Amino acid sequence: MILTLSEREMEVARKVLQREPNEAEWRMLDVLWSEHCSYKSSKVFLRSLPSEGPNVVMSVEDWQDAGAVDIGDGLALVLKVESHNHPSAVDPFNGAATGVGGILRDIISKGAMPIALLDMIRVGELNEKGKWLLRNIIAGIGFYGNSVGVPVVGGELSFDSTYNDNPLVDVACVGIVDKGSIVPSVVKEPGLRLVLTGFTGLDGLGGASFASRKLSGNDEIGAVQIADPFAGKIVIDSTLEVIKYVDAIKDLGGGGLAVAVTEMANGLGAIVNLEKVPLRVKELLPEEIIISETQERMLFAVKPENVEKVCSKFKEFNYPCEDIGEITPDRRVKFLYNGKTVADLPSELLLSPPLNLMPSERAPRRYNVPKDVTIEEAINKVLSHPDLVSKEIVYSQYDYEVGTSTLVKPGEADSAVLELPNGRLLALKADANQDLCSEDPYECGKSIVAESFRNLSTVGARGIALVDHLQFGDPRKPHVYQDFIESLRGIAEASRFFSTPIVGGKVSFHNEDKDGNPIKPTPLVVMAGLIEDKVVRNEVREGTLVLLGNTRDETRGTLFSRIFGSWGEVPKARLMEDLLASKLILKGISEDKVLWDKDVSKGGLAGALLPIIVKGYSVKIFSSSIIGTSSLIGKMFSENGGRFLVITDDPQWFTYQSGRLGIQASIVGKVEKGSSLWIDNKEFKMDGIIDNYFSYLEKVVWS
Amino acid sequence: MDVLKALKLVKADAEIVLFNKFDPDHYQGVVLPGGFSFGDYLRAGSIAANSEAIKGVKEMANEGKLVLGICNGFQILVEAGILKGALLPNLNLRFVTKWVWLRVKRKDTPFTKESKDVLFMPIAHAEGRYFLDDEESASEIAVLQYADERGVPTSEANPNGSLMNIAGITNEGENVLGLMPHPERASFRSISPNGSSDGLHILKVFGG
């Protein structure tokens, strides 16, 4: 029995119980007190995230549930992000696929119909292992998402050697539900029956504890769950049909029955008769049934008279569904097997692990000596970096058209746009930035929220809510813990500034390589917004290039610095500039002044020009018109925020309006037919970069 | 659901029928939509092709009623022997979503008789490479071919390695059409990349 509990935690358990827990009870405590399920090292700080707002329908008292925001006409949007990092490192196909299945069940457990998925993938070098990981992660996401018919409408793909051993596989899902019919995850009264649907198998034993420690390098395949999207589809459809007969729903994820029952009881008690649990394999031990994390299972709290109505729906599809126990008033969670007590623990103990506040200390800043990088070298290396190449080969493996509502499709713009059942348009975007976070996690936390806000603006949307996912190494390391606190502060600050409440989130610690080095801190946010007035169909055309915002010479913690080394200043998030520039973009879109636009982020201005060039256009830049720095490298590669690049036929409108709003904007260039980048009078041939843009991933990963 | 939404646009009187509740005598026509029937675990469409409901579809096909199979529905029609040939895994062995141009090769089927010559629709499949060991009869039954924007079936325009760029075929009676592209996803101007609604050219045959 591998337990991740510390000596101190075991002492607390013994003291409260005044006895030695048996093996099944230790295992329950192990999963419930795992970092994955209990947030014991992060909870104190998570409380500082702004989760309230006028449009928030359901916030996150319980951090494992999805939050919901009002989107008008009696509808609410349910939003959630999760990762499957550890399983994906061991079995990328099933790890990534079950990540999709798990998040879909989170959405339906609120009674909401899932309408879109986003996937964010970070892998290391593209050696044999890296390619194997990437191919299988993408195949796994497609396998599940395509089969159940939920479109994958956006995401991110980044390559950084920090993820060589520990890839990050994040998936976000949104769903739609009538505001009045959101189903809670917890019960308020005893007497309800506990109904379980789905078979329980041997897979995913101890998955939550597995995710709460560093990868051992040993055979850990048994901790990975196996994906079955056909069963997943039955669960989705049938669950949504029975929601009117249920009082609470919880999907079975990390920690299996132990966690689902305990959290659903929410301080009340529960009795579960384990012999009634439908099994996929015979002769599972009772304690294995308690902690198995087999997918495609849901737990319902149901009034006794409704049990038959709920189960008959599943049985129509020959899907197992059983009454396995009930919610009791006695505040104890009991698992029985043929009447014999297997585990009997107080709810209070299970739900309150001793919280940790770890020592924290900021890592000393590295001061590298600046290198001489020529503009030619910089353009060639940055613009051919795999982070900036076309991701078509990835998203074409996802069925992004299913649902007939994907208006702005993957690769078309900085955000995806979907048609909602009430006719409104929803924009979605996810952002993370491991380069900046490894230099300054606080600025990075602010910056990724600001970037999402800008990304939504580029299609005409204003951000309304977000979810976050905080991914770090071992929190017992003071530098890691400090990075966690700082990035969380940054995210909290920016989301309060933009009035985009955080309605859900997740923490994933223990992301380290096999030598015990933590990954670069990688907090990630997913923001949802609504189109304010008009949506832009981002089509590159000939026209004038206008740059909104101020360009600073800030190249530390950028893609440029990942390639050439980190020196100089860190891009700081000046949130007011992001807000004002976003306002101007929205106004430009509603007055039809924007032909094409993009926010300036990864790769700086040069990176923002690449999508224009690869569409068969030349770009001419007048470098002296770029406001804010005299350094050419800074002008082209700085990643400071608050900026948008726009193609327009009416540049004067932008220069005039920017002055009225209190920001800077200038005419920085022209777009013409061709395939070159001109900076002043110097021509940079782009043919090699264009070819690399279209062929890189296919050539390196899929051939 | 998507097909139903699109059929409403052409004013078809349509409803969704569950796999185990299908009565062929009750309907004038049937659409087998895409969608990973039974998870496609064995081979795309093969389990569904042996289901009770498909016997009903066969009856309808034999009676000359309209039968349209889209994507997985096409795979089912082929697996059930209602249409000839086979749908093999794409040459690159990957699932692919992509908007493609289609040449309408035959206009003597009820589905295509008033259609434009070139249609724009998305595909989304992993097993869509049409194959038949008799090229001559494949050419005869081919209704739709992957093509370039002008309607010329080039090898570059072939997304999955289909024999003769075949994207859709009919039966001898011409009342059954199977196609890999999704007309229902090309029925709404707002989500089409070029603002078209070419899928309606295929679906309007069901219109009231």
Side-chain angles (χ1 to χ4, degrees):
Chain A
M1 177 170 62
I2 311 175
L3 293 184
T4 52
L5 295 173
S6 68
E7 268 309 314
R8 174 176 151 247
E9 287 165 344
M10 293 170 90
E11 268 317 302
V12 170
R14 290 185 186 110
K15 212 169 146 190
V16 172
L17 288 178
Q18 301 202 319
R19 65 176 168 88
E20 182 74 15
N22 66 29
E23 181 168 332
E25 289 168 340
W26 273 133
R27 287 196 182 207
M28 281 179 70
L29 286 164
D30 189 48
V31 290
L32 272 141
W33 288 10
S34 68
E35 200 64 67
H36 183 85
C37 296
S38 75
Y39 300 85
K40 62 191 170 193
S41 305
S42 55
K43 207 165 208 162
V44 168
F45 298 99
L46 295 174
R47 288 171 180 150
S48 72
L49 295 170
S51 56
E52 304 284 309
N55 59 352
V56 174
V57 178
M58 186 182 58
S59 202
V60 276
E61 294 127 29
D62 178 342
W63 280 92
Q64 284 152 85
D65 292 333
V69 285
D70 192 338
I71 51 166
D73 303 318
L75 290 179
L77 183 79
V78 179
L79 188 60
K80 167 95 182 180
V81 63
E82 265 276 16
S83 65
H84 260 219
N85 302 338
H86 279 54
S88 299
V90 178
D91 178 352
F93 184 88
N94 277 300
T98 52
V100 175
I103 196 121
L104 286 166
R105 288 195 308 279
D106 280 329
I107 298 297
I108 57 167
S109 69
K110 299 285 102 209
M113 166 75 91
I115 57 165
L117 292 159
L118 294 101
D119 70 273
M120 289 64 70
I121 303 166
R122 288 182 154 69
V123 291
E125 289 152 36
L126 286 173
N127 50 24
E128 281 315 304
K129 187 185 169 197
K131 291 188 234 175
W132 172 76
L133 282 171
L134 185 58
R135 279 195 302 263
N136 284 288
I137 287 166
I138 287 162
I141 293 168
F143 170 68
Y144 209 108
N146 296 346
S147 306
V148 298
V150 181
V152 177
V153 298
E156 276 197 307
L157 175 57
S158 180
F159 303 91
D160 192 317
S161 53
T162 190
Y163 310 114
N164 278 354
D165 293 335
N166 197 318
L168 299 186
V169 182
D170 291 297
V171 56
C173 189
V174 294
I176 293 286
V177 60
D178 283 335
K179 221 166 93 181
S181 3
I182 297 181
V183 183
S185 304
V186 296
V187 300
K188 295 196 178 68
E189 56 192 298
L192 294 167
R193 302 302 305 176
L194 289 168
V195 171
L196 176 71
T197 185
F199 282 116
T200 298
L202 255 176
D203 54 326
L205 290 185
S209 323
F210 164 61
S212 305
R213 61 176 186 259
K214 138 179 156 50
L215 290 163
S216 70
N218 299 326
D219 182 14
E220 292 181 307
I221 199 88
V224 181
Q225 307 107 9
I226 307 299
D228 181 357
F230 179 52
K233 178 74 178 153
I234 292 174
V235 170
I236 294 173
D237 292 351
S238 305
T239 299
L240 292 178
E241 283 199 38
V242 300
I243 51 172
K244 49 188 173 294
Y245 303 120
V246 301
D247 288 66
I249 308 181
K250 195 121 187 111
D251 88 295
L252 279 89
L257 263 184
V259 168
V261 169
T262 309
E263 290 187 349
M264 182 180 262
N266 191 31
L268 291 170
I271 286 186
V272 174
N273 304 301
L274 289 168
E275 74 281 359
K276 298 210 171 134
V277 172
L279 299 183
R280 186 187 283 163
V281 282
K282 273 184 194 161
E283 292 170 16
L284 270 183
L285 298 172
E287 57 264 32
E288 289 173 333
I289 301 173
I290 297 175
I291 59 158
S292 163
E293 295 182 8
T294 306
Q295 299 279 296
E296 278 79 58
R297 295 182 298 159
M298 303 294 280
L299 183 68
F300 304 101
V302 183
K303 292 193 178 75
E305 63 270 27
N306 286 331
V307 170
E308 195 39 47
K309 288 186 191 118
V310 169
C311 276
S312 64
K313 194 77 230 163
F314 288 91
K315 288 181 173 165
E316 250 179 57
F317 292 95
N318 296 327
Y319 207 71
C321 183
E322 292 297 331
D323 178 342
I324 61 164
E326 76 171 302
I327 297 289
T328 57
D330 68 354
R331 300 183 180 273
R332 294 189 78 83
V333 176
K334 292 181 199 161
F335 285 95
L336 312 180
Y337 192 81
N338 290 328
K340 203 172 143 244
T341 301
V342 179
D344 178 359
L345 294 170
S347 303
E348 178 68 19
L349 177 72
L350 288 164
L351 289 172
S352 356
L355 293 187
N356 296 333
L357 273 184
M358 246 68 88
S360 64
E361 185 181 354
R362 197 169 90 169
R365 289 288 159 94
R366 289 167 291 144
Y367 290 98
N368 297 345
V369 181
K371 254 192 286 186
D372 251 344
V373 180
T374 64
I375 185 80
E376 284 85 359
E377 198 187 355
I379 285 174
N380 279 326
K381 289 215 170 136
V382 171
L383 293 190
S384 49
H385 192 278
D387 275 20
L388 294 184
V389 303
S390 166
K391 311 296 189 308
E392 185 180 353
I393 194 161
V394 175
Y395 58 74
S396 71
Q397 296 183 51
Y398 306 142
D399 191 356
Y400 55 82
E401 295 288 353
V402 66
T404 58
S405 60
T406 316
L407 199 106
V408 173
K409 303 173 201 299
E412 277 190 1
D414 282 348
S415 301
V417 179
L418 287 159
E419 280 180 341
L420 294 174
N422 65 353
R424 292 207 72 177
L425 298 178
L426 171 76
L428 295 168
K429 179 68 173 109
D431 282 296
N433 188 339
Q434 70 267 20
D435 296 312
L436 182 53
C437 284
S438 66
E439 293 288 345
D440 191 331
Y442 168 68
E443 288 300 333
C444 178
K446 289 196 290 180
S447 159
I448 56 176
V449 176
E451 186 180 345
S452 306
F453 194 80
R454 291 198 309 272
N455 286 148
L456 295 183
S457 308
T458 62
V459 293
R462 192 178 58 80
I464 58 167
L466 61 91
V467 288
D468 66 341
H469 190 8
L470 305 162
Q471 303 172 101
F472 298 86
D474 184 342
R476 290 168 297 190
K477 295 178 179 165
H479 294 168
V480 170
Y481 204 54
Q482 180 75 10
D483 286 351
F484 160 73
I485 298 166
E486 288 196 8
S487 63
L488 182 141
R489 285 284 183 261
I491 290 171
E493 191 172 321
S495 63
R496 200 176 289 277
F497 180 86
F498 292 114
S499 303
T500 48
I502 297 174
V503 297
K506 184 89 185 88
V507 181
S508 167
F509 284 131
H510 302 279
N511 294 291
E512 308 210 326
D513 70 12
K514 58 179 182 299
D515 301 322
N517 301 307
I519 57 160
K520 288 181 184 175
T522 317
L524 176 140
V525 297
V526 180
M527 196 182 283
L530 291 169
I531 300 287
E532 290 275 274
D533 181 12
K534 286 180 188 157
V535 61
V536 188
R537 277 255 104 112
N538 239 4
E539 214 174 309
V540 176
R541 280 181 30 190
E542 291 187 284
T544 303
L545 273 178
V546 172
L547 181 64
L548 312 187
N550 190 307
T551 302
R552 277 123 172 148
D553 185 14
E554 294 175 333
T555 53
R556 177 187 283 269
T558 62
L559 181 57
F560 175 89
S561 76
R562 202 194 308 163
I563 299 168
F564 296 108
S566 234
W567 64 81
E569 298 285 323
V570 166
K572 295 199 170 53
R574 298 155 184 101
L575 303 176
M576 186 54 87
E577 294 183 16
D578 293 293
L579 188 66
L580 295 176
S582 297
K583 264 194 179 153
L584 180 50
I585 277 291
L586 290 181
K587 191 169 160 69
I589 289 170
S590 73
E591 296 189 19
D592 296 320
K593 302 295 182 186
V594 176
L595 300 174
W596 175 97
D597 70 331
K598 181 171 177 16
D599 91 302
V600 178
S601 46
K602 198 183 276 186
L605 178 61
L609 296 172
L610 187 61
I612 301 177
I613 293 164
V614 298
K615 291 275 179 177
Y617 289 85
S618 277
V619 173
K620 290 192 169 159
I621 293 292
F622 324 129
S623 70
S624 58
S625 308
I626 299 168
I627 301 167
T629 174
S630 59
S631 153
L632 188 57
I633 292 284
K635 285 175 201 270
M636 297 306 292
F637 301 102
S638 172
E639 294 183 7
N640 71 280
R643 294 181 295 158
F644 292 89
L645 186 66
V646 181
I647 303 176
T648 180
D649 288 334
D650 191 355
Q652 273 72 33
W653 185 89
F654 283 94
T655 48
Y656 174 69
Q657 293 291 343
S658 62
R660 292 187 50 172
L661 265 171
I663 53 168
Q664 291 148 305
S666 58
I667 299 164
V668 295
K670 272 198 295 214
V671 178
E672 297 167 351
K673 286 273 177 204
S675 62
S676 291
L677 169 63
W678 293 78
I679 301 180
D680 303 320
N681 292 320
K682 201 168 163 141
E683 182 181 10
F684 299 85
K685 293 268 186 209
M686 290 284 120
D687 303 294
I689 287 170
I690 296 170
D691 180 55
N692 178 75
Y693 177 85
F694 288 112
S695 64
Y696 180 86
L697 285 178
E698 171 135 35
K699 224 160 51 193
V700 174
V701 185
W702 276 277
S703 65
Chain B
M1 295 292 273
D2 296 348
V3 172
L4 189 68
K5 190 169 140 190
L7 284 173
K8 280 191 184 144
L9 281 185
V10 297
K11 302 197 168 60
D13 181 14
E15 62 182 348
I16 291 177
V17 189
L18 270 183
F19 72 102
N20 52 5
K21 291 181 183 152
F22 181 61
D23 172 13
D25 297 335
H26 190 68
Y27 301 99
Q28 298 309 307
V30 62
V31 182
L32 303 177
F36 291 83
S37 57
F38 298 91
D40 280 354
Y41 284 167
L42 186 57
R43 196 169 59 237
S46 69
I47 300 179
N50 292 299
S51 68
E52 205 53 35
I54 297 303
K55 284 186 192 153
V57 173
K58 226 177 236 177
E59 265 173 47
M60 292 177 68
N62 290 337
E63 288 165 16
K65 289 177 178 174
L66 294 176
V67 177
L68 174 64
I70 300 166
C71 195
N72 194 229
F74 183 16
Q75 292 162 342
I76 295 168
L77 289 177
V78 168
E79 287 283 341
I82 299 171
L83 287 173
K84 277 194 218 169
L87 288 159
L88 307 176
N90 298 347
L91 263 194
N92 63 19
L93 302 178
R94 286 194 301 270
F95 186 96
V96 59
T97 299
K98 194 178 177 187
W99 282 75
V100 296
W101 296 96
L102 299 164
R103 171 189 180 220
V104 182
K105 184 168 175 284
R106 280 183 56 174
K107 290 204 177 174
D108 55 347
T109 78
F111 303 93
T112 52
K113 63 174 186 259
E114 287 165 22
S115 164
K116 287 196 297 188
D117 297 338
V118 183
L119 303 174
F120 188 48
M121 288 185 213
I123 54 164
H125 59 248
E127 295 166 65
R129 174 159 59 103
Y130 185 73
F131 181 76
L132 187 68
D133 53 10
D134 173 0
E135 285 211 19
E136 205 174 311
S137 62
S139 171
E140 279 166 25
I141 58 176
V143 177
L144 298 167
Q145 287 173 297
Y146 301 109
D148 64 15
E149 211 171 330
R150 296 162 302 150
V152 183
T154 63
S155 57
E156 293 79 53
N158 191 339
N160 53 23
S162 265
L163 180 72
M164 292 187 290
N165 283 36
I166 288 174
I169 59 166
T170 188
N171 63 342
E172 267 179 28
E174 288 146 14
N175 61 319
V176 181
L177 176 68
L179 76 170
M180 288 316 293
H182 285 267
E184 79 281 11
R185 298 178 184 183
S187 296
F188 309 92
R189 291 183 189 283
S190 61
I191 59 163
S192 167
N194 69 353
S196 60
S197 57
D198 291 356
L200 297 177
H201 284 256
I202 302 286
L203 297 176
K204 69 183 174 199
V205 66
F206 293 102

